[in-house]
């Protein structure tokens, strides 16, 4: 793997998100990258550099933050680094196969896409998933119960949709923690489920 290229990608998203978000997107992208690398080493046939770049760049053209077409941010970064067109196409195809809203219920065709999708979903689970849910809810004026609804509608379902064995292993304690959190929340909130 080209370490300089990976470092440049980290520097690129740091700059990109510092002007366009509150920093949660950078931290999220770096956690997804870290999860993806942990999964990738257990999948020896994968193109690990493509996994690394796609995970770091997976939100670089997120429509909530950027008004770009055709993954323009990711593509222009990769071109600036001299990555060849076929590799750029592959990385973009991974990025586009990962989005939850665009691909509800669909499994990415490539192993690399399945790894990055798992890495992204893991970051919606566990303590970080809980923190992200309430941070988002607070920003949008949603009551706490709305966060609990979101756990039932989305986060508790993620475990069963994972693609790789390593991600399933990583997900188990995160899922258990989510369930435990809901139990405590409901007990303190006076609801019985
Ligand atoms: Ni993401």
């Amino acid at each position: 793997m080209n370490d300089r290229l990976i470092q440049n990608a980290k520097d690129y998203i740091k700059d990109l998100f510092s002007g366009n978000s509150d920093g949660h997107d950078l931290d999220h992208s770096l956690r997804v990258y870290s999860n993806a690398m942990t999964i990738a080493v257990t999948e020896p046939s994968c193109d690990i550099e493509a996994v690394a770049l796609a995970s770091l760049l997976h939100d670089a053209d997120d429509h909530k933050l950027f008004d770009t077409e055709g993954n323009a941010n990711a593509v222009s970064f990769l071109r600036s680094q001299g990555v060849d067109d076929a590799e750029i196409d592959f990385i973009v195809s991974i990025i586009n196969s990962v989005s939850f809203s665009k691909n509800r219920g669909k499994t990415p065709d490539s192993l690399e896409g399945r790894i990055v999708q798992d890495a992204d979903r893991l970051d919606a689970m566990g303590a970080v998933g809980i923190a992200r849910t309430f941070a988002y809810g607070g920003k949008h004026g949603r009551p706490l119960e709305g966060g609990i609804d979101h756990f039932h509608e989305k986060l508790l379902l993620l475990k069963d949709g994972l693609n790789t064995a390593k991600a399933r292993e990583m997900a188990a304690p995160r899922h258990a923690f989510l369930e435990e959190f809901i139990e405590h929340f409901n007990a303190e909130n006076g609801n019985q489920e």
Side-chain angles (χ1 to χ4, degrees):
M1 189 153 74
N2 180 339
D3 292 335
R4 164 57 68 87
L5 175 56
I6 302 307
Q7 187 55 51
N8 288 349
K10 290 180 186 169
D11 292 343
Y12 173 72
I13 59 168
K14 199 173 180 181
D15 281 354
L16 185 70
F17 290 128
S18 74
N20 292 285
S21 77
D22 50 15
H24 289 129
D25 303 274
L26 174 66
D27 295 340
H28 165 66
S29 298
L30 294 174
R31 285 191 304 266
V32 172
Y33 163 73
S34 167
N35 291 340
M37 292 298 94
T38 304
I39 300 167
V41 295
T42 70
E43 300 284 344
S45 65
C46 80
D47 176 344
I48 197 162
E49 188 169 287
V51 170
L53 291 167
S55 57
L56 286 168
L57 296 168
H58 84 280
D59 278 339
D61 292 279
D62 183 341
H63 285 179
K64 291 189 290 299
L65 296 172
F66 307 107
D67 196 12
T68 52
E69 298 268 336
N71 302 83
N73 287 335
V75 168
S76 69
F77 166 75
L78 292 166
R79 283 214 178 110
S80 77
Q81 301 295 306
V83 176
D84 69 56
D85 285 348
E87 186 67 6
I88 292 177
D89 284 350
F90 183 49
I91 292 165
V92 165
S93 79
I94 298 171
I95 291 171
N96 290 340
S97 72
V98 166
S99 158
F100 188 86
S101 53
K102 278 189 227 160
N103 297 283
R104 197 167 283 265
K106 253 194 266 163
T107 303
D109 293 330
S110 68
L111 172 60
E112 291 77 6
R114 293 193 289 276
I115 291 171
V116 179
Q117 185 182 65
D118 280 359
D120 194 35
R121 289 178 174 178
L122 281 167
D123 201 49
M125 301 177 70
V128 167
I130 293 167
R132 288 177 70 201
T133 298
F134 290 113
Y136 179 90
K139 204 167 161 183
H140 293 83
R142 184 170 69 184
L144 292 179
E145 285 80 359
I148 300 295
D149 291 342
H150 182 68
F151 294 157
H152 288 291
E153 285 156 13
K154 182 174 168 191
L155 305 193
L156 287 169
L157 310 179
L158 291 173
K159 173 178 74 84
D160 293 328
L162 294 169
N163 306 299
T164 63
K166 184 66 185 176
R168 281 192 287 275
E169 179 194 317
M170 293 162 78
R174 296 176 190 226
H175 185 84
F177 187 69
L178 267 174
E179 287 185 320
E180 200 188 329
F181 179 87
I182 293 169
E183 237 174 71
H184 281 257
F185 185 94
N186 287 338
E188 293 171 22
N189 201 37
N191 292 339
Q192 295 303 320
E193 287 206 332

